[in-house]
């Protein structure tokens, strides 16, 4: 079977509203409160926040939701991820610094992340970071690792199969799409555990079903994959 190539362009984009918290409610509420007060210096806390957990737990979704929310308030942010091999210098116009996949940072990225962190703290700007490991286990330079762990730390959990099933069912119902138990089983057992990827798969299936004038069934899914 071919690997499904998801078309990111069809996604609605990350947001707090689109994040199904499940066991990660505390982290979601913390970031919503933090972003809600980001425009008010009297309320905005410069204490850093660090999210950690395995792939598919929602770390990047929450970071991107923070970025979207701050941009809607008119604030620009610094965004450093493992794919950005030559990070820019810190920009004093940034309202916050967001660091994703910190466990993968090269020496150059670690140097930039430390510089961004120190500058953000000096200017009372927020820092939200995410990685696959708890702070104490991060393979980073000591001064950066300890700074990432001294603030609010949240361990994100991957949603259970029951929770992912419920979210997919609810999303399908909202689209007026019928998903049988067999189809849900197939989606949950053959594809990524990441809820974002599953939701994008649902979007593709809905579009393909409309295009072919067929109901969403396992043969339809196989047909879509074969035509990728």
């Amino acid at each position: 079977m071919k690997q499904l190539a998801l078309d990111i362009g069809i996604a609605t984009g990350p947001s707090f509203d689109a994040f199904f918290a499940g066991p990660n409610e505390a982290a979601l509420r913390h970031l919503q409160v933090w972003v809600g007060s980001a425009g008010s210096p009297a309320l905005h806390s410069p204490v850093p926040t660090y999210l950690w957990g395995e792939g598919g737990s929602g770390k990047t979704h929450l970071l991107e939701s923070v970025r979207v929310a701050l941009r809607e308030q008119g604030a620009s942010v610094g965004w450093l991820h493992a794919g950005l091999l030559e990070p820019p210098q810190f920009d004093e116009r940034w309202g916050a610094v967001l660091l994703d996949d910190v466990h993968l940072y090269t020496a150059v990225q670690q140097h930039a992340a430390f510089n961004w962190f120190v500058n953000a703290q000096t200017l009372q700007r927020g820092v939200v970071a995410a990685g696959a490991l708890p702070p104490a286990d991060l393979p980073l330079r000591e001064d950066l690792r300890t700074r990432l762990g001294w603030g609010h730390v949240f361990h994100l959990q991957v949603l259970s199969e029951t929770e992912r099933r419920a979210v997919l069912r609810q999303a399908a119902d909202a689209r007026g799409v019928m998903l049988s138990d067999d189809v849900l089983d197939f989606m949950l057992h053959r594809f990524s555990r990441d809820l974002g990827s599953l939701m994008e798969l649902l979007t593709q299936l809905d579009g393909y079903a409309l295009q072919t004038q067929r109901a969403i069934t396992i043969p339809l899914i196989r047909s879509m994959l074969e035509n990728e």
Side-chain angles (χ1 to χ4, degrees):
M1 181 180 295
K2 293 184 179 180
Q3 177 68 35
L4 178 63
L6 291 173
D7 181 359
I8 302 302
I10 63 178
T12 57
S15 70
F16 289 131
D17 289 342
F19 184 76
F20 184 84
N24 304 313
E25 183 74 18
L28 173 63
R29 295 304 175 206
H30 168 80
L31 292 174
Q32 286 178 315
V33 170
W34 185 87
V35 166
S37 61
S40 176
L43 297 175
H44 175 45
S45 170
V47 177
T49 297
Y50 179 70
L51 313 172
W52 71 276
E54 63 179 289
S57 57
K59 303 183 299 296
T60 298
H61 184 116
L62 285 176
L63 281 188
E64 291 180 340
S65 297
V66 169
R67 177 165 62 171
V68 168
L70 290 178
R71 282 182 170 177
E72 288 176 350
Q73 297 176 11
S76 62
V77 300
W79 177 275
L80 177 56
H81 56 86
L84 186 61
L85 300 181
E86 297 183 6
Q89 295 295 315
F90 179 85
D91 190 330
E92 292 189 0
R93 294 172 296 180
W94 290 343
V97 164
L98 306 179
L99 311 172
D100 197 13
D101 287 333
V102 298
H103 59 288
L104 299 176
Y105 281 5
T106 64
V108 171
Q109 291 166 331
Q110 291 179 51
H111 176 78
F114 177 77
N115 177 268
W116 286 18
F117 196 112
V118 171
N119 277 285
Q121 292 293 291
T122 299
L123 296 173
Q124 297 288 288
R125 310 290 166 76
V127 177
V128 183
L133 301 169
D137 296 337
L138 288 169
L140 303 174
R141 47 188 278 184
E142 184 68 10
D143 51 6
L144 175 59
R145 185 186 63 76
T146 54
R147 279 172 169 78
L148 290 173
W150 73 261
H152 304 285
V153 177
F154 294 92
H155 181 194
L156 301 187
Q157 307 288 335
V158 175
L159 296 183
S160 68
E161 181 176 321
T162 298
E163 289 167 329
R164 281 176 280 138
R165 182 183 294 270
V167 174
L168 285 171
R169 179 81 73 186
Q170 181 178 359
D173 289 346
R175 291 173 174 269
V177 172
M178 173 62 184
L179 291 183
S180 69
D181 289 338
D182 287 346
V183 167
L184 280 171
D185 289 342
F186 189 84
M187 293 173 66
L188 290 166
H189 297 158
R190 298 296 185 94
F191 299 97
S192 170
R193 291 195 301 163
D194 174 46
L195 185 60
S197 296
L198 288 170
M199 296 296 280
E200 290 174 8
L201 171 60
L202 175 61
T203 299
Q204 280 200 326
L205 287 173
D206 187 22
Y208 189 73
L210 288 173
Q211 178 185 346
T212 58
Q213 296 295 300
R214 296 165 58 190
I216 297 180
T217 60
I218 293 176
L220 178 97
I221 298 176
R222 295 185 187 278
S223 173
M224 186 182 77
L225 296 175
E226 290 170 356
N227 286 299
E228 284 292 324

